[in-house]
Structure formats: C-alpha cells, structure tokens
Amino acid sequence: MTRWQTVGLLTQGQGFPKGTKGIADLGGGVNLAPISTLLSEPGFTEWLRASHGHEELDLSDYAFVYEYEASGLGDPDPDDPKRMKQDAALERIQLASIALWLSNVIRPSFSAYAHAPLEMEGGVALWYTRRAEPIRPNQFDRHHELDEEAEQTIREISGSLYALPRPSPLWSAVRFLLFGLREVVGDTRITLLWIAIEALFGTIEPGPETSRELYRRIAGFFETTRKEQLAVHELAKAGWWMRCQAVHGGRTRDVKPEMLLERIVEAERILRMSFNRILRDPVLLATFGDDATREAFVATKSAEFQAQDGMSTRDHGETQ
C-alpha cells in the first residue's frame, strides 16, 4: 500500500474565501490547504498543463487535498468494489465543495483534479488528471469569511453528506444540486435545481395535484410565520412555473433574463435553507434518508399548511 493524494486544483480566477489561513479542515480527511506535496513535485505543474492541452491552468496556491491508502490507480474501493478508491476520493472533495456552498462560504470549487501517489516512484506514469466543471455561484452570492465558526459548520454538513445512504432522496437531491450549480445555461440550471427540490419535497406518485402539493410541502416545511410561509408558497409557484417553461419546449427564450435569474436565485435559496436544516438535524436526516418516511413527513407539512386557514386544495391557475 502507498499513500495517495487526490487534489482538487483551484485557479487564481476562482479565488477562495476571505480569512483563509493555513489549512482549513473541511471534515472527513478533506482539507483546503496551501499548495500540496503533489503540486510542489518537480515537473508536475508542467505535466499538468501539458495534459490539458493549450489551455493553461493559472493555479492558485490552495487546493482541496484528500489522502488515502491505495495499492495503485484503479484499486477497488472497499465500500463499493464497482468503483476505484480514486473515484471515491474525488467524490469526497466534490462533497466538500458542496458543503462550502451550503455554508454560505461560496467559493472555492475546483476546475481540475489529479490523483497521484505521494512517493513519486515511476514518475508521471502513475499520475492522472482531468478537467472538472466547477461550481459557479450566481452573481448575487456573497462571499463569507472562512473562520473557525464557518469551518465547524462545514464539518457538520460535510460529515452528513459523506454518510448519506445511496440511493436515497437526499443523495438524489445532492447530485442534482451539484449538476445545477455547475451549469451556466439558465434553463438547464433551473431545471436541475428543481429536480433537486422535487427529490426533497415531491410526491412519490405524480398526479393532478402534483404541483399544488409541492408548493404546500415546501411552504409547510419552513416553520416561520404564516405570512412568511405564504410568501414561500408564492415563491415556489413562480419557480415551478419557470421550471415548466424550461422543460416544456424551452419557452424561457420568451422570458426576461432578469426574471429567469431571479427564479434561479430563489431555487438556490430554497435548497440552501432546506439542506442546512436537514443535514444538521439527526431526526430530519433520518427522515429524508428514506423515501417512505420523507413522503409521510412532507405530506404532513402540506396538511398542516392547509389546515391553518382552511386553504383550498384547488388553487386555480397553477401550472401542472
């Protein structure tokens, strides 16, 4: 067995949060760290740039770093023999980048990654690298400082992410959140974000009340004032309408770009608030980890939402 590193490579353009000093512990063995042993290896940077063609990587001084034991490239992961340890390590640093986003520490993400043994026997024959699609924050996201409190929040969230059962509603939601946050095309981004929202709150069996039930479940989940719940209900209706415009014939071309962006920002807000609540609450984590218990819970929230003022279950003019 040899010590290996999987490294998520940051570029200067991606930047990293204010307050980053030394090594930031993101949980589960993943660190946001100054330039690693791998990157400081003679010839590695030149090989890396050559591997990615003519497009040069303007590397940052920081990287996501995860170390593990492996007998070589392709060594099976003991938790899932169908994939290699390097794939499991890459997934772990991807989840760490999601934890940063969920914690409101918006950046960094990584635009390339590399696997390599710490002992460089055999030279570049043992190195492996590929480009990766980074998380792309929306233009209204604020970059928060990466301080001790933020690190603790990130560790709590990432610990839950690493332990998610698969398959599960939560795992589906995380995957589609990651896909959505990578997208720059607006109608694709909002579609993927709403798939993630539906994984959390949607009905198991679609029916004529699917959309209306979804709005009620989302609104009922947020235990705030009635006025705020009703505002979330309207926000969910508007977001679902935009999602339908994107899915059914690409009709977002007829929508003002600023309106599409607003719906995207709102969908991201719903997901960030939902995940922060679920992933940091053991009871909710268990509830949303199974489709049957999730369905029962969110259906109850829908019923509670309607019961507060006898709200009609048949709101006219809503998109199915």
Side-chain angles (χ1 to χ4, degrees):
M1 285 287 185
T2 303
R3 242 4 229 172
W4 279 66
Q5 277 186 334
T6 290
V7 180
L9 302 165
L10 275 62
T11 61
Q12 299 288 354
Q14 291 168 282
F16 42 89
K18 296 181 297 182
T20 306
K21 297 175 182 177
I23 295 175
D25 178 3
L26 306 181
V30 179
N31 293 317
L32 182 62
I35 200 161
S36 67
T37 302
L38 176 59
L39 295 180
S40 62
E41 196 60 32
F44 180 82
T45 302
E46 291 75 13
W47 167 81
L48 183 70
R49 288 176 173 150
S51 298
H52 293 296
H54 297 294
E55 182 182 357
E56 290 191 359
L57 292 173
D58 183 17
L59 295 175
S60 165
D61 291 334
Y62 271 72
F64 288 90
V65 181
Y66 179 66
E67 293 187 11
Y68 52 98
E69 296 283 341
S71 58
L73 186 65
D75 197 10
D77 176 19
D79 295 326
D80 182 358
K82 294 181 181 179
R83 67 176 181 177
M84 62 185 188
K85 287 182 176 179
Q86 286 77 16
D87 289 336
L90 174 61
E91 180 184 275
R92 187 159 287 240
I93 63 174
Q94 287 172 332
L95 292 175
S97 68
I98 283 287
L100 283 164
W101 186 86
L102 290 173
S103 305
N104 278 321
V105 180
I106 307 303
R107 295 188 180 185
S109 183
F110 54 94
S111 54
Y113 63 89
H115 307 301
L118 288 174
E119 300 83 3
M120 292 295 181
E121 298 175 7
V124 297
L126 292 178
W127 299 347
Y128 177 85
T129 184
R130 287 194 67 179
R131 295 294 298 220
E133 287 296 326
I135 289 175
R136 304 176 193 276
N138 70 65
Q139 65 193 64
F140 299 109
D141 275 330
R142 298 177 61 187
H143 298 193
H144 293 259
E145 187 166 331
L146 183 56
D147 54 20
E148 290 184 9
E149 183 178 355
E151 280 191 47
Q152 178 59 36
T153 299
I154 292 164
R155 286 193 291 271
E156 290 177 16
I157 292 173
S158 64
S160 295
L161 288 172
Y162 300 146
L164 286 180
R166 307 168 196 188
S168 70
L170 272 173
W171 183 244
S172 293
V174 168
R175 290 176 64 242
F176 283 103
L177 171 61
L178 178 59
F179 297 154
L181 292 177
R182 289 170 170 171
E183 272 293 336
V184 294
V185 179
D187 56 355
T188 306
R189 187 175 179 109
I190 197 165
T191 299
L192 292 168
L193 293 172
W194 269 93
I195 292 174
I197 292 171
E198 291 176 80
L200 295 177
F201 300 107
T203 58
I204 292 178
E205 296 293 337
E209 289 284 316
T210 294
S211 58
R212 287 184 278 266
E213 178 65 5
L214 182 62
Y215 315 150
R216 295 189 291 257
R217 290 176 175 203
I218 294 169
F221 177 73
F222 294 100
E223 296 176 352
T224 54
T225 68
R226 184 61 176 173
K227 181 179 179 181
E228 289 170 334
Q229 282 192 338
L230 290 171
V232 171
H233 184 272
E234 293 305 304
L235 182 151
K237 285 173 62 176
W240 179 261
W241 179 86
M242 188 66 74
R243 169 261 186 212
C244 291
Q245 300 308 298
V247 170
H248 302 302
R251 293 194 293 267
T252 53
R253 64 181 178 273
D254 300 322
V255 175
K256 292 181 179 180
E258 57 269 26
M259 183 182 293
L260 175 57
L261 177 58
E262 186 176 350
R263 299 291 91 82
I264 288 171
V265 171
E266 290 166 352
E268 291 177 13
R269 187 179 303 126
I270 289 172
L271 285 165
R272 184 179 277 124
M273 292 172 64
S274 300
F275 273 115
N276 269 280
R277 183 177 170 195
I278 295 167
L279 295 173
R280 302 177 73 183
D281 183 324
V283 175
L284 286 177
L285 194 57
T287 298
F288 279 82
D290 174 80
D291 218 14
T293 56
R294 178 204 65 85
E295 171 69 18
F297 176 78
V298 293
T300 299
K301 291 300 177 184
S302 171
E304 291 173 355
F305 174 77
Q306 293 178 77
Q308 288 192 54
D309 59 3
M311 182 178 181
S312 171
T313 61
R314 299 195 62 82
D315 301 324
H316 297 290
E318 294 181 8
T319 306
Q320 293 298 313

